């Protein structure tokens, strides 16, 4: 084992996930900078490092020093200190402030920050507020470094150090040592596999009851991510055996203990996590309570009101639309469903006009910000997201759910209901008064909700609520190949791929994945914006069947960011680069920031001094600390699943056999129906044919339809 020491001149590469780094080291006795590679989670530019390792010759990169272990010391020279502080290590100190601070305190700078930080007031441009930020950040980076070094010493990914500290603070190391499985429960982004890896490397017994318990919760959460509300008992046992390699008897015993202590709920052969059980039972109960309460509206008045509306507006509702409006008034809870071009929006407008004529107070809502915005535009009335309507304020929860403070409306219309999962539907219905009329609108043939449950389909299949399905494609919609092809796909008929001049549906045949990527880059960067005079970032959306692969959303994002955004201001996080002007998507609900899974915005500003990123979500500026950037992802390209509830002027979609696992009819149908003006598919007829033929929709484990059918069900 050889020794090497020197000053870190720059960090060429660093992986947040693994802690692997490539650094350039200036060492006494060597003329050129030395390339050092290995796991060095807590190394920063300007610091002095003592390394143990060995030299090797890499066939591609030449001579390198491979690190086995290292120690880091704070820099001693003025130049080193300035580099160290200017590296972005401390929130509140970037290159500019680092230069100012070192100019005032010289080689005493580190000592001043550590022991007498209030003296920083002597530095021009640094006030009390920034000093408090620097104090907090200096202490935090020391603690995070301790966590990272601890994790690294046990061969565990260091990428979670900051998140662990943010959750547990000074108790972080004690908690990780005592029960690393807590990380999976408490910290978003750290799953069971990561916690289990930490536990195993810390020497925890792989046959412990703690591991079994954490594994069962992990399996149930994984199943809920796939849309299931519960696991069948044998399914849960099998999946847990496969994931944890434990004895079936032990898993059975652990399940029984968890049922006894309330961590799980068992109903016959179904094993639920409590939130999903209570939500499913609660949705069924609330629907029965609402539909059993008499309606206050007089249905016999509706025909005259519809006649008056038609006369005033010089249009006619067709028979099914008229029937839908009448049933909306006579029913307490109704489902309105239908594909594109069937007049769903027109019918909703009619329902609103009739209820307004009768003096009703109406609330409109949708699951996502984009869907709510579209609902506002089509109805000319205010529509909110369901979360905002329910006034979610952490940590208290949904403020409107309490019985004495329900939603103050007589009619509630929810659009894009196919996106609503079982937990959100329960929270919504808890906030609804029994005498409120509820109208659920959605296209049941689209992809189901990302969250657990198949709420809209289950409600329809139960046969317990009034359902109106619009099927007639209106004349103006028949001229749209987007709409006619969507219906063809939905009926299992191959779409018409031959585009026509001034048409709205185009197919570009490409087989090689690299050619598909290049074609989409050219379409988004030049051809489509130039021809249609649209903004290439705001008006064009690439939709991919899956995240991975050359034509997946992750790679397409890298390609399109490079092609569409020349901005030089950027920040790195988790292997991704985020630039000012980038199109990004929020990928988890953050109630503190009032941003929700699926919200799309643009990066408005990056402050490298404060290590913050400001994102503009439709005029609302939201600030993110750099450690929170795992909540967002680039959104030049997104998966079809993430596009639900949205509509884009132009959609470009790669469809190739590379996506074989995801090629399903409802995915292709959903993809096509996201396009408002133009749809461009790049790929192969074979991939389209596979998707059209594959109508095997995975059955989700839900019992909402059964609970609605059987009033005696819990």
């Amino acid at each position: 084992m050889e020794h090497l020491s020197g000053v870190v001149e720059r960090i060429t590469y660093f992986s947040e996930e693994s802690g692997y780094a490539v650094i350039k080291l200036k060492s006494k006795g060597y003329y050129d900078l030395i390339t050092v590679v290995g796991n060095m989670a807590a190394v920063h530019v300007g610091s002095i490092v003592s390394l143990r390792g060995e030299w090797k010759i890499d066939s591609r990169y030449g001579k390198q020093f491979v690190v086995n272990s290292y120690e880091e010391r704070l820099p001693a020279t003025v130049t080193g200190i300035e580099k160290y502080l200017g590296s972005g290590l401390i929130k509140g100190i970037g290159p500019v402030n680092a230069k100012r601070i070192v100019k005032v305190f010289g080689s005493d700078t580190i000592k001043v920050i550590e022991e007498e930080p209030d003296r920083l007031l002597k530095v021009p441009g640094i006030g009390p507020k920034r000093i408090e930020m620097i104090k907090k950040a200096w202490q935090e980076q020391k603690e995070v470094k301790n966590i990272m070094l601890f994790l690294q010493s046990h061969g565990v990914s260091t990428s979670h150090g900051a998140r662990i500290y943010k959750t547990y603070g000074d108790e972080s190391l004690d908690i990780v040592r005592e029960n690393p499985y807590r990380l999976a429960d408490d910290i978003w982004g750290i799953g069971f596999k990561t916690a289990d890896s930490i536990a195993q490397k810390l020497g925890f017994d792989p046959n412990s009851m703690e591991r079994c318990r954490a594994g069962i919760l992990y399996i149930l959460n994984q199943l809920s991510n796939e849309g299931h509300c519960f696991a069948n008992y044998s399914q849960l046992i099998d999946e847990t055996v496969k994931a944890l390699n434990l004895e079936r008897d032990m898993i059975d015993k652990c399940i029984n203990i968890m049922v006894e202590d309330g961590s799980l709920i068992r109903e016959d052969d179904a094993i639920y996590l409590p939130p999903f059980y209570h939500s499913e039972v609660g949705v069924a109960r609330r629907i029965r309570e609402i539909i059993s309460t008499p309606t206050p509206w007089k249905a016999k008045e509706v025909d005259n009101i519809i006649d008056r509306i038609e006369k005033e507006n010089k249009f006619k509702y067709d028979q099914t639309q008229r029937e839908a409006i009448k049933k909306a008034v006579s029913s307490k809870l109704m489902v309105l469903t239908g594909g594109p071009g069937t007049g769903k929006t027109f019918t909703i407008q009619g329902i609103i006009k009739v209820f307004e004529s009768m003096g009703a107070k109406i609330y409109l809502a949708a699951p996502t910000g984009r869907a709510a915005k579209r609902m506002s535009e089509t109805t000319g009335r205010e529509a909110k997201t369901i979360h905002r309507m329910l006034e979610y304020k952490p940590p208290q929860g949904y403020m409107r759910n309490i019985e004495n403070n329900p939603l103050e409306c007589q009619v509630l219309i929810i659009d894009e209901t196919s996106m609503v999962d079982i937990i959100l539907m329960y929270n919504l219905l808890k906030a609804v008064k029994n005498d409120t009329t509820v109208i659920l609108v959605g296209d049941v043939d689209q992809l189901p909700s990302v969250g657990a449950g198949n709420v809209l389909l289950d409600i329809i299949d139960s046969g317990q609520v009034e359902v109106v399905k619009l099927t007639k494609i209106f004349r103006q919609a028949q001229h749209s190949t987007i709409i006619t092809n969507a219906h063809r796909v939905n009926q299992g008929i191959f779409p018409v791929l031959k585009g026509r001049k001034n048409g709205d549906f185009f197919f570009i045949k490409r087989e090689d994945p690299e050619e598909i990527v290049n074609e989409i880059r050219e379409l988004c960067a030049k051809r489509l914006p130039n021809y249609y005079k649209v903004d290439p970032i705001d008006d064009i959306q690439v939709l991919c069947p899956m995240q991975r692969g050359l034509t997946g959303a992750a790679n397409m994002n890298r390609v399109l960011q490079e092609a569409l955004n020349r901005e030089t201001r950027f920040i790195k996080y988790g292997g991704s680069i985020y630039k000012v002007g980038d199109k990004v998507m929020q990928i988890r609900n953050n109630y503190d920031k009032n941003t929700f899974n699926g919200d799309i915005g643009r990066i408005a500003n990056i402050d490298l001094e404060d290590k913050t990123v400001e994102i503009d979500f439709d005029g609302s500026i939201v600030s993110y600390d750099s450690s929170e950037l795992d909540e967002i992802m680039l959104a030049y390209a997104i998966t079809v699943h993430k596009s639900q509830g949205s509509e884009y002027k132009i959609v470009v979609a790669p469809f190739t056999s590379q996506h074989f696992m995801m090629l399903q009819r409802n995915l292709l149908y959903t993809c096509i129906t996201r396009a408002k003006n133009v749809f461009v598919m790049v790929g192969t007829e074979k991939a389209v044919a596979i998707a059209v033929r594959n109508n095997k929709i995975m059955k989700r484990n839900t019992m909402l339809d059964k609970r609605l059918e059987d009033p005696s069900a819990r």
Side-chain angles (χ1 to χ4, degrees):
M1 197 73 69
E2 297 192 53
H3 294 262
L4 182 68
S5 63
V7 177
V8 180
E9 283 292 310
R10 66 175 179 269
I11 298 171
T12 306
Y13 172 80
F14 176 65
S15 166
E16 293 270 357
E17 196 57 42
S18 65
Y20 180 84
V22 179
I23 69 172
K24 295 292 186 181
L25 191 76
K26 188 174 185 179
S27 183
K28 193 175 181 181
Y30 294 87
Y31 179 76
D32 292 324
L33 294 177
I34 300 165
T35 301
V36 179
V37 300
N39 286 322
M40 294 173 282
V43 168
H44 295 91
V45 172
S47 62
I48 301 165
V49 288
S50 298
L51 312 167
R52 284 168 61 85
E54 54 189 29
W55 292 96
K56 78 164 189 178
I57 305 295
D58 186 275
S59 59
R60 187 172 175 188
Y61 297 108
K63 193 175 182 182
Q64 298 177 334
F65 190 82
V66 182
V67 172
N68 180 263
S69 63
Y70 73 94
E71 288 181 5
E72 183 189 35
R73 298 198 309 274
L74 294 173
T77 67
V78 168
T79 305
I81 292 169
E82 186 179 321
K83 278 188 179 179
Y84 183 73
L85 293 178
S87 67
L89 167 72
I90 308 298
K91 186 175 178 180
I93 304 179
V96 175
N97 277 330
K99 200 177 199 71
R100 290 172 180 166
I101 293 168
V102 172
K103 190 174 180 182
V104 174
F105 297 110
S107 58
D108 289 334
T109 296
I110 300 294
K111 187 180 177 185
V112 168
I113 294 173
E114 176 78 51
E115 299 174 8
E116 303 174 278
D118 290 331
R119 286 179 63 195
L120 292 172
L121 276 171
K122 293 181 179 178
V123 179
I126 294 185
K129 191 176 176 184
R130 189 165 294 274
I131 287 173
E132 286 306 311
M133 188 190 296
I134 292 168
K135 280 182 189 175
K136 185 181 175 188
W138 181 259
Q139 184 60 33
E140 188 172 309
Q141 65 87 23
K142 287 200 300 183
E143 294 294 338
V144 170
K145 186 180 289 189
N146 287 337
I147 296 165
M148 285 177 152
L149 290 171
F150 172 78
L151 294 174
Q152 189 181 49
S153 68
H154 289 87
V156 178
S157 165
T158 59
S159 63
H160 307 298
R163 224 178 279 152
I164 291 169
Y165 179 75
K166 197 170 182 182
T167 305
Y168 302 128
D170 296 340
E171 297 178 354
S172 296
L173 283 177
D174 291 338
I175 288 170
V176 174
R177 286 191 188 103
E178 184 186 330
N179 182 8
Y181 292 108
R182 271 189 63 182
L183 303 178
D185 293 335
D186 298 343
I187 302 175
W188 185 82
I190 297 184
F192 168 77
K193 287 186 176 178
T194 301
D196 195 37
S197 170
I198 294 171
Q200 299 305 301
K201 284 164 182 172
L202 288 175
F204 273 69
D205 180 3
N207 293 309
S208 69
M209 198 57 81
E210 288 86 353
R211 180 170 184 257
C212 187
R213 181 187 187 89
I216 289 166
L217 294 175
Y218 162 70
I219 297 296
L220 286 169
N221 277 303
Q222 286 294 103
L223 288 169
S224 75
N225 290 338
E226 293 169 16
H228 301 292
C229 289
F230 63 87
N232 291 309
Y233 179 74
S234 58
Q235 175 190 22
L236 180 56
I237 295 273
D238 290 344
E239 292 290 332
T240 310
V241 167
K242 198 189 307 178
L244 276 68
N245 196 26
L246 294 173
E247 294 294 326
R248 300 178 76 87
D249 288 348
M250 183 182 183
I251 298 167
D252 177 68
K253 182 182 176 184
C254 192
I255 290 172
N256 289 329
I257 291 170
M258 293 174 76
V259 169
E260 283 176 26
D261 69 23
S263 302
L264 300 177
I265 293 174
R266 181 167 186 170
E267 185 177 277
D268 300 323
D269 195 42
I271 310 291
Y272 285 84
L273 290 169
F276 299 110
Y277 175 80
H278 294 304
S279 294
E280 195 175 79
V281 170
V283 167
R285 186 186 69 250
R286 288 298 299 126
I287 287 175
R288 284 198 298 271
E289 288 170 352
I290 290 166
I291 61 179
S292 64
T293 305
T295 178
W297 311 108
K298 294 183 173 61
K300 62 183 181 183
E301 299 175 6
V302 176
D303 273 316
N304 291 335
I305 296 172
I306 293 173
D307 290 342
R308 191 177 73 244
I309 291 169
E310 287 179 333
K311 190 175 179 182
E312 287 171 358
N313 294 276
K314 297 183 173 61
F315 57 60
K316 279 274 185 189
Y317 296 106
D318 86 329
Q319 191 54 42
T320 311
Q321 291 173 329
R322 193 179 185 101
E323 197 59 36
I325 296 169
K326 291 167 71 175
K327 282 184 177 176
V329 175
S330 62
S331 310
K332 283 301 307 307
L333 193 148
M334 184 189 90
V335 173
L336 176 65
T337 185
T342 56
K344 248 189 354 261
T345 299
F346 188 55
T347 306
I348 294 168
Q349 290 169 337
I351 291 169
I352 291 169
K353 284 173 180 162
V354 167
F355 273 117
E356 283 179 340
S357 296
M358 299 173 86
K361 185 174 183 179
I362 305 166
Y363 280 3
L364 309 179
T368 66
R370 291 207 153 209
K373 187 178 179 185
R374 190 149 57 96
M375 195 181 193
S376 291
E377 290 166 355
T378 56
T379 62
R381 291 155 181 85
E382 182 188 27
K384 294 181 178 179
T385 64
I386 296 171
H387 287 99
R388 290 188 176 102
M389 183 176 70
L390 297 180
E391 297 177 18
Y392 193 102
K393 289 185 176 70
Q396 301 97 321
Y398 291 98
M399 299 299 287
R400 303 300 302 246
N401 281 0
I402 46 179
E403 290 179 12
N404 61 353
N405 192 21
L407 292 169
E408 292 300 327
C409 61
Q410 293 156 300
V411 178
L412 176 64
I413 303 176
I414 304 295
D415 200 7
E416 297 289 356
T417 310
S418 63
M419 296 177 65
V420 179
D421 61 43
I422 193 71
I423 288 178
L424 182 56
M425 181 58 80
Y426 181 42
N427 281 295
L428 173 66
L429 294 180
K430 278 197 293 184
V432 173
K433 291 187 287 190
N434 286 348
D435 58 1
T436 300
T437 296
V438 179
I439 298 157
L440 305 177
V441 184
D443 186 346
V444 80
D445 295 315
Q446 285 184 28
L447 291 166
S449 60
V450 174
N454 207 345
V455 177
L456 185 63
L457 185 62
D458 280 352
I459 290 173
I460 293 171
D461 285 351
S462 74
Q464 301 302 301
V465 301
E466 197 71 64
V467 178
V468 177
K469 183 164 187 176
L470 304 175
T471 55
K472 178 183 173 184
I473 305 175
F474 285 86
R475 191 181 304 140
Q476 60 270 35
Q478 290 171 4
H479 298 298
S480 164
T481 313
I482 289 174
I483 289 174
T484 54
N485 268 343
H487 284 275
R488 286 175 72 92
V489 166
N490 201 29
Q491 292 158 22
I493 304 168
F494 195 83
V496 176
L497 297 183
K498 188 176 179 181
R500 63 178 192 273
K501 192 178 179 183
N502 299 323
D504 61 0
F505 190 106
F506 302 95
F507 177 78
I508 300 172
K509 185 177 180 179
R510 295 287 183 272
E511 294 205 11
D512 180 66
E514 285 192 18
E515 285 185 16
I516 292 172
V517 171
N518 292 333
E519 187 75 31
I520 291 174
R521 182 203 288 117
E522 188 73 12
L523 282 165
C524 295
K526 294 177 184 173
R527 284 156 54 192
L528 291 170
N530 291 344
Y531 187 82
Y532 290 103
K533 309 301 178 198
V534 295
D535 184 284
I537 297 177
D538 288 335
D539 297 329
I540 300 173
Q541 184 62 58
V542 175
L543 298 183
C544 304
M546 60 196 297
Q547 191 72 22
R548 293 191 294 272
L550 207 59
T551 55
N555 184 57
M556 288 306 316
N557 268 316
R558 286 190 288 270
V559 169
L560 293 170
Q561 182 191 50
E562 187 182 324
L564 299 175
N565 191 350
R566 303 293 182 187
E567 177 63 55
T568 55
R569 279 183 296 162
F570 68 87
I571 191 168
K572 285 185 177 181
Y573 184 85
S576 294
I577 291 175
Y578 297 101
K579 301 179 183 179
V580 170
D582 272 341
K583 185 180 190 178
V584 293
M585 173 182 274
Q586 177 79 12
I587 58 171
R588 67 174 290 229
N589 290 341
N590 186 322
Y591 303 107
D592 291 312
K593 295 185 186 299
N594 214 19
T595 54
F596 301 97
N597 190 0
D599 286 353
I600 286 182
R602 297 280 294 272
I603 294 180
N605 187 43
I606 295 172
D607 190 326
L608 294 174
E609 294 272 331
D610 294 347
K611 297 176 78 176
T612 56
V613 175
E614 290 182 343
I615 301 176
D616 182 347
F617 290 103
D618 284 329
S620 175
I621 303 292
V622 181
S623 181
Y624 289 74
D625 186 84
S626 60
S627 66
E628 297 174 314
L629 293 181
D630 57 348
E631 294 188 14
I632 67 164
M633 60 182 283
L634 292 174
Y636 297 95
I638 60 175
T639 61
V640 178
H641 283 83
K642 286 286 188 186
S643 73
Q644 288 173 266
S646 298
E647 189 178 64
Y648 313 96
K649 285 184 181 177
I650 299 175
V651 166
V652 180
F655 254 77
T656 161
S657 300
Q658 266 198 331
H659 302 140
F660 184 83
M661 294 292 292
M662 299 299 295
L663 296 179
Q664 293 182 319
R665 186 185 297 174
N666 61 354
L667 182 133
L668 177 56
Y669 173 74
T670 302
C671 185
I672 294 170
T673 55
R674 300 308 91 203
K676 185 177 181 182
N677 300 334
V678 179
F679 181 82
V680 183
M681 184 186 290
V682 184
T684 65
E685 291 105 325
K686 182 183 177 184
V688 177
I690 291 169
V692 172
R693 284 197 303 267
N694 182 10
N695 199 31
K696 293 176 185 173
I697 298 167
M698 187 188 77
K699 176 78 173 72
R700 294 185 167 194
N701 290 344
T702 72
M703 285 202 285
L704 178 60
D705 52 348
K706 306 280 191 304
R707 295 184 194 282
L708 284 167
E709 287 169 26
D710 181 6
S712 65
R714 280 170 281 183

